[in-house]
Amino acid sequence: MAQLKIRDLYGLLCQAPRRQDLEQDGIRLVYDGTALHLSTADHPDTVVARASTCGFTTGSWEVTAYRASITSVEVWLRINLEYGDHLIDVCPFWPARPAVIAFTAGGGHIATFPVIACPTAPADRRP
């Protein structure tokens, strides 16, 4: 799980290329234990944006989410920008197949989306 300020996550996701600018659908999020890195499925080694994390940390993980899911999260975060310094948790979640990416804010607000790929999930839970 990566914890970021709502404002920082919103800024990160706003830098994701639009779907029509992608050769293939997919926004890649990689958490290394200290920062969340954003790239695209068609250029995974080119970091488009980076946001430092704060608060609780876990092991590293990687997911590729649909661009439409990222857009939905941006809208959700924009509504909550008045709480910009509050923390939000971002993590892959795989209680069942397929794995999803979960965004959890205070007060029990949670949004989950299916993912295109999650190489850090157990083999039997990957999409």
Side-chain angles (χ1 to χ4, degrees):
M1 171 180 60
Q3 283 191 324
L4 297 94
K5 290 182 179 180
I6 289 174
R7 181 181 344 276
D8 294 342
L9 180 60
Y10 179 75
L12 175 85
L13 298 180
C14 284
Q15 295 181 59
R18 297 181 173 270
R19 189 169 182 194
Q20 64 264 25
D21 297 331
L22 299 172
E23 295 172 23
Q24 67 184 55
D25 192 14
I27 300 298
R28 190 168 165 266
L29 297 171
V30 177
Y31 173 60
D32 65 8
T34 62
L36 189 61
H37 305 268
L38 183 143
S39 61
T40 61
D42 46 1
H43 299 291
D45 295 329
T46 303
V47 175
V48 174
R50 176 187 179 283
S52 295
T53 58
C54 53
F56 185 75
T57 61
T58 64
S60 59
W61 51 263
E62 172 186 336
V63 298
T64 302
Y66 292 96
R67 180 59 179 105
S69 300
I70 298 302
T71 301
S72 297
V73 174
E74 285 177 64
V75 171
W76 181 52
L77 292 173
R78 190 175 324 134
I79 294 168
N80 292 294
L81 275 179
E82 66 184 275
Y83 306 107
D85 288 332
H86 291 204
L87 296 180
I88 188 164
D89 302 334
V90 181
C91 66
F93 188 65
W94 49 75
R97 187 171 184 210
V100 298
I101 185 163
F103 298 86
T104 309
H109 300 284
I110 187 167
T112 60
F113 300 94
V115 297
I116 297 169
C118 186
T120 50
D124 64 336
R125 304 291 168 88
R126 294 182 188 154

mmCIF file of all heavy atoms in Angstrom, residues 8-61:
data_model
loop_
_atom_site.group_PDB
_atom_site.id
_atom_site.type_symbol
_atom_site.label_atom_id
_atom_site.label_comp_id
_atom_site.label_asym_id
_atom_site.label_seq_id
_atom_site.Cartn_x
_atom_site.Cartn_y
_atom_site.Cartn_z
ATOM 1 N N ASP A 8 -1.349 15.270 -3.877
ATOM 2 C CA ASP A 8 -0.215 14.707 -4.610
ATOM 3 C C ASP A 8 -0.661 13.618 -5.586
ATOM 4 O O ASP A 8 -0.161 13.543 -6.715
ATOM 5 C CB ASP A 8 0.831 14.147 -3.648
ATOM 6 C CG ASP A 8 1.489 15.236 -2.812
ATOM 7 O OD1 ASP A 8 1.403 16.441 -3.190
ATOM 8 O OD2 ASP A 8 2.084 14.901 -1.769
ATOM 9 N N LEU A 9 -1.592 12.773 -5.154
ATOM 10 C CA LEU A 9 -2.095 11.727 -6.047
ATOM 11 C C LEU A 9 -2.855 12.346 -7.213
ATOM 12 O O LEU A 9 -2.683 11.932 -8.358
ATOM 13 C CB LEU A 9 -2.994 10.747 -5.293
ATOM 14 C CG LEU A 9 -3.566 9.609 -6.149
ATOM 15 C CD1 LEU A 9 -2.456 8.758 -6.764
ATOM 16 C CD2 LEU A 9 -4.507 8.744 -5.319
ATOM 17 N N TYR A 10 -3.655 13.355 -6.938
ATOM 18 C CA TYR A 10 -4.390 14.038 -8.003
ATOM 19 C C TYR A 10 -3.408 14.635 -9.020
ATOM 20 O O TYR A 10 -3.565 14.476 -10.227
ATOM 21 C CB TYR A 10 -5.292 15.126 -7.410
ATOM 22 C CG TYR A 10 -6.057 15.897 -8.449
ATOM 23 C CD1 TYR A 10 -7.150 15.324 -9.094
ATOM 24 C CD2 TYR A 10 -5.703 17.193 -8.783
ATOM 25 C CE1 TYR A 10 -7.861 16.029 -10.052
ATOM 26 C CE2 TYR A 10 -6.408 17.906 -9.734
ATOM 27 C CZ TYR A 10 -7.487 17.326 -10.364
ATOM 28 O OH TYR A 10 -8.181 18.027 -11.320
ATOM 29 N N GLY A 11 -2.371 15.309 -8.530
ATOM 30 C CA GLY A 11 -1.367 15.887 -9.423
ATOM 31 C C GLY A 11 -0.671 14.837 -10.264
ATOM 32 O O GLY A 11 -0.396 15.052 -11.452
ATOM 33 N N LEU A 12 -0.391 13.686 -9.663
ATOM 34 C CA LEU A 12 0.248 12.586 -10.390
ATOM 35 C C LEU A 12 -0.659 12.080 -11.506
ATOM 36 O O LEU A 12 -0.247 11.984 -12.659
ATOM 37 C CB LEU A 12 0.582 11.450 -9.424
ATOM 38 C CG LEU A 12 1.139 10.179 -10.053
ATOM 39 C CD1 LEU A 12 2.643 10.299 -10.232
ATOM 40 C CD2 LEU A 12 0.806 8.971 -9.213
ATOM 41 N N LEU A 13 -1.907 11.772 -11.166
ATOM 42 C CA LEU A 13 -2.820 11.190 -12.142
ATOM 43 C C LEU A 13 -3.183 12.163 -13.262
ATOM 44 O O LEU A 13 -3.411 11.742 -14.400
ATOM 45 C CB LEU A 13 -4.082 10.679 -11.449
ATOM 46 C CG LEU A 13 -3.864 9.563 -10.427
ATOM 47 C CD1 LEU A 13 -5.190 9.136 -9.817
ATOM 48 C CD2 LEU A 13 -3.135 8.374 -11.038
ATOM 49 N N CYS A 14 -3.199 13.445 -12.960
ATOM 50 C CA CYS A 14 -3.507 14.442 -13.995
ATOM 51 C C CYS A 14 -2.433 14.493 -15.079
ATOM 52 O O CYS A 14 -2.689 15.005 -16.172
ATOM 53 C CB CYS A 14 -3.676 15.823 -13.369
ATOM 54 S SG CYS A 14 -5.254 16.022 -12.523
ATOM 55 N N GLN A 15 -1.266 13.963 -14.798
ATOM 56 C CA GLN A 15 -0.183 13.970 -15.779
ATOM 57 C C GLN A 15 -0.216 12.754 -16.713
ATOM 58 O O GLN A 15 0.587 12.660 -17.639
ATOM 59 C CB GLN A 15 1.157 14.054 -15.067
ATOM 60 C CG GLN A 15 1.321 15.376 -14.328
ATOM 61 C CD GLN A 15 2.657 15.471 -13.646
ATOM 62 O OE1 GLN A 15 3.696 15.382 -14.292
ATOM 63 N NE2 GLN A 15 2.630 15.639 -12.333
ATOM 64 N N ALA A 16 -1.144 11.842 -16.476
ATOM 65 C CA ALA A 16 -1.257 10.663 -17.342
ATOM 66 C C ALA A 16 -1.717 11.090 -18.729
ATOM 67 O O ALA A 16 -2.620 11.913 -18.862
ATOM 68 C CB ALA A 16 -2.247 9.661 -16.745
ATOM 69 N N PRO A 17 -1.106 10.548 -19.767
ATOM 70 C CA PRO A 17 -1.536 10.888 -21.137
ATOM 71 C C PRO A 17 -2.993 10.499 -21.370
ATOM 72 O O PRO A 17 -3.500 9.558 -20.769
ATOM 73 C CB PRO A 17 -0.610 10.042 -22.019
ATOM 74 C CG PRO A 17 0.537 9.673 -21.150
ATOM 75 C CD PRO A 17 0.006 9.612 -19.753
ATOM 76 N N ARG A 18 -3.654 11.229 -22.246
ATOM 77 C CA ARG A 18 -5.026 10.897 -22.621
ATOM 78 C C ARG A 18 -5.047 9.592 -23.402
ATOM 79 O O ARG A 18 -4.055 9.221 -24.023
ATOM 80 C CB ARG A 18 -5.642 12.009 -23.454
ATOM 81 C CG ARG A 18 -5.763 13.312 -22.705
ATOM 82 C CD ARG A 18 -6.411 14.352 -23.603
ATOM 83 N NE ARG A 18 -6.692 15.552 -22.872
ATOM 84 C CZ ARG A 18 -7.838 15.774 -22.226
ATOM 85 N NH1 ARG A 18 -8.790 14.877 -22.255
ATOM 86 N NH2 ARG A 18 -8.020 16.897 -21.582
ATOM 87 N N ARG A 19 -6.197 8.940 -23.394
ATOM 88 C CA ARG A 19 -6.311 7.636 -24.039
ATOM 89 C C ARG A 19 -5.973 7.708 -25.531
ATOM 90 O O ARG A 19 -5.311 6.832 -26.063
ATOM 91 C CB ARG A 19 -7.713 7.071 -23.836
ATOM 92 C CG ARG A 19 -7.822 5.648 -24.278
ATOM 93 C CD ARG A 19 -9.103 5.029 -23.844
ATOM 94 N NE ARG A 19 -9.127 3.651 -24.269
ATOM 95 C CZ ARG A 19 -10.201 2.920 -24.277
ATOM 96 N NH1 ARG A 19 -11.345 3.416 -23.870
ATOM 97 N NH2 ARG A 19 -10.151 1.688 -24.679
ATOM 98 N N GLN A 20 -6.432 8.758 -26.230
ATOM 99 C CA GLN A 20 -6.165 8.861 -27.662
ATOM 100 C C GLN A 20 -4.683 9.070 -27.968
ATOM 101 O O GLN A 20 -4.243 8.868 -29.090
ATOM 102 C CB GLN A 20 -7.019 9.951 -28.318
ATOM 103 C CG GLN A 20 -6.747 11.358 -27.830
ATOM 104 C CD GLN A 20 -7.702 11.797 -26.749
ATOM 105 O OE1 GLN A 20 -8.272 10.998 -26.027
ATOM 106 N NE2 GLN A 20 -7.885 13.104 -26.610
ATOM 107 N N ASP A 21 -3.887 9.444 -26.948
ATOM 108 C CA ASP A 21 -2.450 9.630 -27.135
ATOM 109 C C ASP A 21 -1.650 8.354 -26.861
ATOM 110 O O ASP A 21 -0.438 8.327 -27.047
ATOM 111 C CB ASP A 21 -1.943 10.746 -26.232
ATOM 112 C CG ASP A 21 -2.563 12.096 -26.572
ATOM 113 O OD1 ASP A 21 -2.916 12.299 -27.751
ATOM 114 O OD2 ASP A 21 -2.706 12.932 -25.659
ATOM 115 N N LEU A 22 -2.335 7.305 -26.426
ATOM 116 C CA LEU A 22 -1.667 6.051 -26.098
ATOM 117 C C LEU A 22 -1.722 5.092 -27.278
ATOM 118 O O LEU A 22 -2.724 5.011 -27.975
ATOM 119 C CB LEU A 22 -2.344 5.382 -24.889
ATOM 120 C CG LEU A 22 -2.347 6.160 -23.574
ATOM 121 C CD1 LEU A 22 -3.221 5.437 -22.561
ATOM 122 C CD2 LEU A 22 -0.941 6.321 -23.051
ATOM 123 N N GLU A 23 -0.641 4.356 -27.479
ATOM 124 C CA GLU A 23 -0.638 3.313 -28.507
ATOM 125 C C GLU A 23 -1.493 2.135 -28.060
ATOM 126 O O GLU A 23 -2.107 1.461 -28.866
ATOM 127 C CB GLU A 23 0.795 2.853 -28.790
ATOM 128 C CG GLU A 23 1.655 3.950 -29.398
ATOM 129 C CD GLU A 23 3.120 3.556 -29.485
ATOM 130 O OE1 GLU A 23 3.430 2.349 -29.500
ATOM 131 O OE2 GLU A 23 3.949 4.477 -29.540
ATOM 132 N N GLN A 24 -1.513 1.874 -26.769
ATOM 133 C CA GLN A 24 -2.368 0.834 -26.194
ATOM 134 C C GLN A 24 -2.890 1.348 -24.864
ATOM 135 O O GLN A 24 -2.260 2.158 -24.206
ATOM 136 C CB GLN A 24 -1.613 -0.488 -26.022
ATOM 137 C CG GLN A 24 -0.494 -0.439 -24.989
ATOM 138 C CD GLN A 24 0.293 -1.728 -24.921
ATOM 139 O OE1 GLN A 24 0.811 -2.181 -25.922
ATOM 140 N NE2 GLN A 24 0.381 -2.308 -23.746
ATOM 141 N N ASP A 25 -4.093 0.902 -24.489
ATOM 142 C CA ASP A 25 -4.703 1.370 -23.252
ATOM 143 C C ASP A 25 -3.880 0.881 -22.065
ATOM 144 O O ASP A 25 -3.383 -0.240 -22.066
ATOM 145 C CB ASP A 25 -6.139 0.833 -23.156
ATOM 146 C CG ASP A 25 -6.940 1.502 -22.058
ATOM 147 O OD1 ASP A 25 -6.488 2.548 -21.539
ATOM 148 O OD2 ASP A 25 -8.009 0.984 -21.716
ATOM 149 N N GLY A 26 -3.734 1.716 -21.077
ATOM 150 C CA GLY A 26 -3.070 1.276 -19.859
ATOM 151 C C GLY A 26 -2.150 2.306 -19.260
ATOM 152 O O GLY A 26 -1.257 2.821 -19.923
ATOM 153 N N ILE A 27 -2.416 2.611 -17.993
ATOM 154 C CA ILE A 27 -1.561 3.485 -17.203
ATOM 155 C C ILE A 27 -0.924 2.600 -16.133
ATOM 156 O O ILE A 27 -1.599 1.890 -15.408
ATOM 157 C CB ILE A 27 -2.369 4.623 -16.551
ATOM 158 C CG1 ILE A 27 -3.052 5.481 -17.623
ATOM 159 C CG2 ILE A 27 -1.490 5.451 -15.630
ATOM 160 C CD1 ILE A 27 -2.108 6.190 -18.576
ATOM 161 N N ARG A 28 0.378 2.645 -16.086
ATOM 162 C CA ARG A 28 1.146 1.788 -15.185
ATOM 163 C C ARG A 28 1.523 2.569 -13.935
ATOM 164 O O ARG A 28 2.051 3.674 -14.016
ATOM 165 C CB ARG A 28 2.394 1.327 -15.932
ATOM 166 C CG ARG A 28 3.183 0.268 -15.274
ATOM 167 C CD ARG A 28 4.208 -0.271 -16.301
ATOM 168 N NE ARG A 28 5.198 -1.038 -15.615
ATOM 169 C CZ ARG A 28 6.370 -0.569 -15.187
ATOM 170 N NH1 ARG A 28 6.704 0.677 -15.396
ATOM 171 N NH2 ARG A 28 7.207 -1.357 -14.558
ATOM 172 N N LEU A 29 1.225 2.004 -12.765
ATOM 173 C CA LEU A 29 1.597 2.582 -11.475
ATOM 174 C C LEU A 29 2.551 1.619 -10.785
ATOM 175 O O LEU A 29 2.237 0.440 -10.624
ATOM 176 C CB LEU A 29 0.359 2.805 -10.605
ATOM 177 C CG LEU A 29 -0.668 3.794 -11.147
ATOM 178 C CD1 LEU A 29 -1.935 3.763 -10.303
ATOM 179 C CD2 LEU A 29 -0.094 5.202 -11.187
ATOM 180 N N VAL A 30 3.706 2.127 -10.407
ATOM 181 C CA VAL A 30 4.721 1.306 -9.735
ATOM 182 C C VAL A 30 5.070 1.989 -8.419
ATOM 183 O O VAL A 30 5.462 3.151 -8.388
ATOM 184 C CB VAL A 30 5.984 1.142 -10.604
ATOM 185 C CG1 VAL A 30 7.045 0.346 -9.860
ATOM 186 C CG2 VAL A 30 5.653 0.485 -11.930
ATOM 187 N N TYR A 31 4.921 1.232 -7.342
ATOM 188 C CA TYR A 31 5.262 1.721 -6.003
ATOM 189 C C TYR A 31 6.541 1.021 -5.569
ATOM 190 O O TYR A 31 6.615 -0.207 -5.565
ATOM 191 C CB TYR A 31 4.110 1.426 -5.040
ATOM 192 C CG TYR A 31 4.425 1.731 -3.603
ATOM 193 C CD1 TYR A 31 4.759 3.016 -3.201
ATOM 194 C CD2 TYR A 31 4.386 0.736 -2.643
ATOM 195 C CE1 TYR A 31 5.042 3.307 -1.884
ATOM 196 C CE2 TYR A 31 4.656 1.020 -1.317
ATOM 197 C CZ TYR A 31 4.992 2.298 -0.938
ATOM 198 O OH TYR A 31 5.278 2.574 0.371
ATOM 199 N N ASP A 32 7.561 1.808 -5.196
ATOM 200 C CA ASP A 32 8.855 1.233 -4.815
ATOM 201 C C ASP A 32 9.132 1.305 -3.314
ATOM 202 O O ASP A 32 10.247 1.052 -2.878
ATOM 203 C CB ASP A 32 9.979 1.903 -5.597
ATOM 204 C CG ASP A 32 10.142 3.384 -5.279
ATOM 205 O OD1 ASP A 32 9.494 3.893 -4.338
ATOM 206 O OD2 ASP A 32 10.932 4.049 -5.989
ATOM 207 N N GLY A 33 8.133 1.681 -2.539
ATOM 208 C CA GLY A 33 8.314 1.805 -1.096
ATOM 209 C C GLY A 33 8.506 3.238 -0.643
ATOM 210 O O GLY A 33 8.336 3.541 0.536
ATOM 211 N N THR A 34 8.871 4.134 -1.557
ATOM 212 C CA THR A 34 9.053 5.543 -1.207
ATOM 213 C C THR A 34 8.295 6.494 -2.122
ATOM 214 O O THR A 34 8.038 7.627 -1.748
ATOM 215 C CB THR A 34 10.544 5.944 -1.238
ATOM 216 O OG1 THR A 34 11.049 5.765 -2.565
ATOM 217 C CG2 THR A 34 11.358 5.124 -0.264
ATOM 218 N N ALA A 35 7.965 6.040 -3.323
ATOM 219 C CA ALA A 35 7.285 6.908 -4.290
ATOM 220 C C ALA A 35 6.399 6.075 -5.207
ATOM 221 O O ALA A 35 6.620 4.870 -5.390
ATOM 222 C CB ALA A 35 8.291 7.690 -5.117
ATOM 223 N N LEU A 36 5.403 6.738 -5.783
ATOM 224 C CA LEU A 36 4.531 6.124 -6.775
ATOM 225 C C LEU A 36 4.917 6.715 -8.124
ATOM 226 O O LEU A 36 4.942 7.936 -8.287
ATOM 227 C CB LEU A 36 3.060 6.428 -6.443
ATOM 228 C CG LEU A 36 2.008 5.698 -7.242
ATOM 229 C CD1 LEU A 36 2.119 4.181 -7.051
ATOM 230 C CD2 LEU A 36 0.614 6.168 -6.831
ATOM 231 N N HIS A 37 5.272 5.855 -9.055
ATOM 232 C CA HIS A 37 5.722 6.265 -10.378
ATOM 233 C C HIS A 37 4.632 5.951 -11.397
ATOM 234 O O HIS A 37 4.026 4.879 -11.336
ATOM 235 C CB HIS A 37 6.997 5.518 -10.775
ATOM 236 C CG HIS A 37 8.100 5.670 -9.785
ATOM 237 N ND1 HIS A 37 9.044 6.658 -9.872
ATOM 238 C CD2 HIS A 37 8.396 4.970 -8.661
ATOM 239 C CE1 HIS A 37 9.891 6.557 -8.859
ATOM 240 N NE2 HIS A 37 9.515 5.538 -8.100
ATOM 241 N N LEU A 38 4.412 6.857 -12.346
ATOM 242 C CA LEU A 38 3.406 6.678 -13.375
ATOM 243 C C LEU A 38 4.094 6.591 -14.726
ATOM 244 O O LEU A 38 4.955 7.410 -15.051
ATOM 245 C CB LEU A 38 2.430 7.863 -13.356
ATOM 246 C CG LEU A 38 1.270 7.813 -14.321
ATOM 247 C CD1 LEU A 38 0.031 8.410 -13.663
ATOM 248 C CD2 LEU A 38 1.567 8.557 -15.601
ATOM 249 N N SER A 39 3.738 5.573 -15.495
ATOM 250 C CA SER A 39 4.196 5.439 -16.872
ATOM 251 C C SER A 39 3.027 4.872 -17.671
ATOM 252 O O SER A 39 1.919 4.758 -17.153
ATOM 253 C CB SER A 39 5.443 4.545 -16.961
ATOM 254 O OG SER A 39 5.174 3.244 -16.490
ATOM 255 N N THR A 40 3.268 4.514 -18.916
ATOM 256 C CA THR A 40 2.196 3.959 -19.734
ATOM 257 C C THR A 40 2.532 2.529 -20.111
ATOM 258 O O THR A 40 3.698 2.123 -20.093
ATOM 259 C CB THR A 40 1.991 4.786 -21.021
ATOM 260 O OG1 THR A 40 3.186 4.755 -21.798
ATOM 261 C CG2 THR A 40 1.622 6.230 -20.690
ATOM 262 N N ALA A 41 1.514 1.769 -20.490
ATOM 263 C CA ALA A 41 1.726 0.375 -20.873
ATOM 264 C C ALA A 41 2.603 0.270 -22.108
ATOM 265 O O ALA A 41 3.397 -0.664 -22.236
ATOM 266 C CB ALA A 41 0.390 -0.318 -21.110
ATOM 267 N N ASP A 42 2.486 1.232 -23.018
ATOM 268 C CA ASP A 42 3.273 1.164 -24.247
ATOM 269 C C ASP A 42 4.706 1.659 -24.075
ATOM 270 O O ASP A 42 5.562 1.358 -24.899
ATOM 271 C CB ASP A 42 2.578 1.870 -25.405
ATOM 272 C CG ASP A 42 2.006 3.230 -25.064
ATOM 273 O OD1 ASP A 42 2.158 3.675 -23.916
ATOM 274 O OD2 ASP A 42 1.397 3.844 -25.950
ATOM 275 N N HIS A 43 5.000 2.391 -23.010
ATOM 276 C CA HIS A 43 6.360 2.850 -22.699
ATOM 277 C C HIS A 43 6.604 2.700 -21.196
ATOM 278 O O HIS A 43 6.765 3.695 -20.477
ATOM 279 C CB HIS A 43 6.556 4.303 -23.128
ATOM 280 C CG HIS A 43 6.388 4.524 -24.593
ATOM 281 N ND1 HIS A 43 7.269 4.052 -25.528
ATOM 282 C CD2 HIS A 43 5.395 5.120 -25.287
ATOM 283 C CE1 HIS A 43 6.848 4.367 -26.732
ATOM 284 N NE2 HIS A 43 5.700 5.010 -26.615
ATOM 285 N N PRO A 44 6.680 1.456 -20.699
ATOM 286 C CA PRO A 44 6.762 1.231 -19.251
ATOM 287 C C PRO A 44 8.024 1.771 -18.584
ATOM 288 O O PRO A 44 8.019 2.039 -17.388
ATOM 289 C CB PRO A 44 6.666 -0.286 -19.115
ATOM 290 C CG PRO A 44 7.082 -0.820 -20.440
ATOM 291 C CD PRO A 44 6.686 0.214 -21.447
ATOM 292 N N ASP A 45 9.096 1.953 -19.325
ATOM 293 C CA ASP A 45 10.346 2.416 -18.721
ATOM 294 C C ASP A 45 10.484 3.935 -18.707
ATOM 295 O O ASP A 45 11.464 4.458 -18.180
ATOM 296 C CB ASP A 45 11.539 1.798 -19.452
ATOM 297 C CG ASP A 45 11.589 0.290 -19.273
ATOM 298 O OD1 ASP A 45 11.141 -0.194 -18.211
ATOM 299 O OD2 ASP A 45 12.043 -0.410 -20.195
ATOM 300 N N THR A 46 9.518 4.640 -19.285
ATOM 301 C CA THR A 46 9.551 6.100 -19.295
ATOM 302 C C THR A 46 8.615 6.628 -18.219
ATOM 303 O O THR A 46 7.397 6.563 -18.346
ATOM 304 C CB THR A 46 9.118 6.645 -20.678
ATOM 305 O OG1 THR A 46 9.975 6.093 -21.678
ATOM 306 C CG2 THR A 46 9.190 8.158 -20.714
ATOM 307 N N VAL A 47 9.185 7.142 -17.143
ATOM 308 C CA VAL A 47 8.381 7.666 -16.037
ATOM 309 C C VAL A 47 7.825 9.030 -16.441
ATOM 310 O O VAL A 47 8.572 9.946 -16.746
ATOM 311 C CB VAL A 47 9.204 7.765 -14.740
ATOM 312 C CG1 VAL A 47 8.398 8.417 -13.633
ATOM 313 C CG2 VAL A 47 9.679 6.383 -14.313
ATOM 314 N N VAL A 48 6.501 9.136 -16.463
ATOM 315 C CA VAL A 48 5.815 10.372 -16.827
ATOM 316 C C VAL A 48 5.716 11.297 -15.620
ATOM 317 O O VAL A 48 5.865 12.509 -15.741
ATOM 318 C CB VAL A 48 4.400 10.061 -17.384
ATOM 319 C CG1 VAL A 48 3.612 11.330 -17.641
ATOM 320 C CG2 VAL A 48 4.492 9.206 -18.634
ATOM 321 N N ALA A 49 5.459 10.712 -14.459
ATOM 322 C CA ALA A 49 5.307 11.506 -13.242
ATOM 323 C C ALA A 49 5.653 10.641 -12.035
ATOM 324 O O ALA A 49 5.624 9.415 -12.099
ATOM 325 C CB ALA A 49 3.879 12.029 -13.129
ATOM 326 N N ARG A 50 5.945 11.328 -10.930
ATOM 327 C CA ARG A 50 6.328 10.656 -9.686
ATOM 328 C C ARG A 50 5.775 11.462 -8.526
ATOM 329 O O ARG A 50 5.798 12.685 -8.551
ATOM 330 C CB ARG A 50 7.849 10.600 -9.618
ATOM 331 C CG ARG A 50 8.427 10.021 -8.380
ATOM 332 C CD ARG A 50 9.960 10.212 -8.401
ATOM 333 N NE ARG A 50 10.575 9.695 -7.220
ATOM 334 C CZ ARG A 50 10.575 10.284 -6.035
ATOM 335 N NH1 ARG A 50 9.994 11.438 -5.872
ATOM 336 N NH2 ARG A 50 11.167 9.726 -5.004
ATOM 337 N N ALA A 51 5.286 10.763 -7.509
ATOM 338 C CA ALA A 51 4.819 11.435 -6.288
ATOM 339 C C ALA A 51 5.393 10.695 -5.087
ATOM 340 O O ALA A 51 5.321 9.468 -5.010
ATOM 341 C CB ALA A 51 3.294 11.442 -6.229
ATOM 342 N N SER A 52 5.954 11.443 -4.167
ATOM 343 C CA SER A 52 6.486 10.847 -2.941
ATOM 344 C C SER A 52 5.339 10.413 -2.040
ATOM 345 O O SER A 52 4.289 11.033 -2.010
ATOM 346 C CB SER A 52 7.363 11.849 -2.193
ATOM 347 O OG SER A 52 8.497 12.155 -2.964
ATOM 348 N N THR A 53 5.588 9.340 -1.324
ATOM 349 C CA THR A 53 4.579 8.839 -0.400
ATOM 350 C C THR A 53 4.916 9.308 1.009
ATOM 351 O O THR A 53 6.017 9.780 1.287
ATOM 352 C CB THR A 53 4.513 7.300 -0.443
ATOM 353 O OG1 THR A 53 5.801 6.769 -0.130
ATOM 354 C CG2 THR A 53 4.086 6.815 -1.814
ATOM 355 N N CYS A 54 3.949 9.173 1.900
ATOM 356 C CA CYS A 54 4.150 9.520 3.304
ATOM 357 C C CYS A 54 3.259 8.602 4.124
ATOM 358 O O CYS A 54 2.382 7.945 3.596
ATOM 359 C CB CYS A 54 3.813 10.984 3.567
ATOM 360 S SG CYS A 54 2.195 11.483 3.005
ATOM 361 N N GLY A 55 3.490 8.536 5.395
ATOM 362 C CA GLY A 55 2.665 7.674 6.223
ATOM 363 C C GLY A 55 3.112 6.226 6.158
ATOM 364 O O GLY A 55 4.282 5.908 5.956
ATOM 365 N N PHE A 56 2.174 5.324 6.303
ATOM 366 C CA PHE A 56 2.412 3.891 6.353
ATOM 367 C C PHE A 56 2.949 3.382 5.016
ATOM 368 O O PHE A 56 2.515 3.817 3.967
ATOM 369 C CB PHE A 56 1.105 3.179 6.692
ATOM 370 C CG PHE A 56 1.258 1.702 6.891
ATOM 371 C CD1 PHE A 56 1.826 1.193 8.043
ATOM 372 C CD2 PHE A 56 0.832 0.815 5.912
ATOM 373 C CE1 PHE A 56 1.975 -0.170 8.222
ATOM 374 C CE2 PHE A 56 0.971 -0.544 6.087
ATOM 375 C CZ PHE A 56 1.546 -1.035 7.241
ATOM 376 N N THR A 57 3.906 2.463 5.045
ATOM 377 C CA THR A 57 4.456 1.896 3.816
ATOM 378 C C THR A 57 4.419 0.374 3.868
ATOM 379 O O THR A 57 4.417 -0.231 4.939
ATOM 380 C CB THR A 57 5.917 2.342 3.600
ATOM 381 O OG1 THR A 57 6.704 1.886 4.692
ATOM 382 C CG2 THR A 57 6.027 3.838 3.468
ATOM 383 N N THR A 58 4.385 -0.230 2.700
ATOM 384 C CA THR A 58 4.430 -1.686 2.563
ATOM 385 C C THR A 58 5.445 -2.034 1.486
ATOM 386 O O THR A 58 6.142 -1.163 0.980
ATOM 387 C CB THR A 58 3.049 -2.260 2.165
ATOM 388 O OG1 THR A 58 2.702 -1.750 0.870
ATOM 389 C CG2 THR A 58 1.975 -1.905 3.166
ATOM 390 N N GLY A 59 5.465 -3.292 1.101
ATOM 391 C CA GLY A 59 6.349 -3.728 0.034
ATOM 392 C C GLY A 59 5.962 -3.139 -1.311
ATOM 393 O O GLY A 59 4.865 -2.616 -1.493
ATOM 394 N N SER A 60 6.872 -3.213 -2.246
ATOM 395 C CA SER A 60 6.641 -2.651 -3.569
ATOM 396 C C SER A 60 5.581 -3.448 -4.344
ATOM 397 O O SER A 60 5.337 -4.618 -4.044
ATOM 398 C CB SER A 60 7.950 -2.591 -4.351
ATOM 399 O OG SER A 60 8.497 -3.878 -4.470
ATOM 400 N N TRP A 61 4.964 -2.799 -5.315
ATOM 401 C CA TRP A 61 3.967 -3.436 -6.165
ATOM 402 C C TRP A 61 3.866 -2.697 -7.491
ATOM 403 O O TRP A 61 4.400 -1.599 -7.648
ATOM 404 C CB TRP A 61 2.589 -3.517 -5.490
ATOM 405 C CG TRP A 61 2.062 -2.249 -4.911
ATOM 406 C CD1 TRP A 61 2.144 -1.872 -3.600
ATOM 407 C CD2 TRP A 61 1.389 -1.182 -5.593
ATOM 408 N NE1 TRP A 61 1.548 -0.640 -3.440
ATOM 409 C CE2 TRP A 61 1.068 -0.193 -4.637
ATOM 410 C CE3 TRP A 61 1.009 -0.961 -6.910
ATOM 411 C CZ2 TRP A 61 0.411 0.990 -4.968
ATOM 412 C CZ3 TRP A 61 0.344 0.214 -7.241
ATOM 413 C CH2 TRP A 61 0.052 1.164 -6.276
#
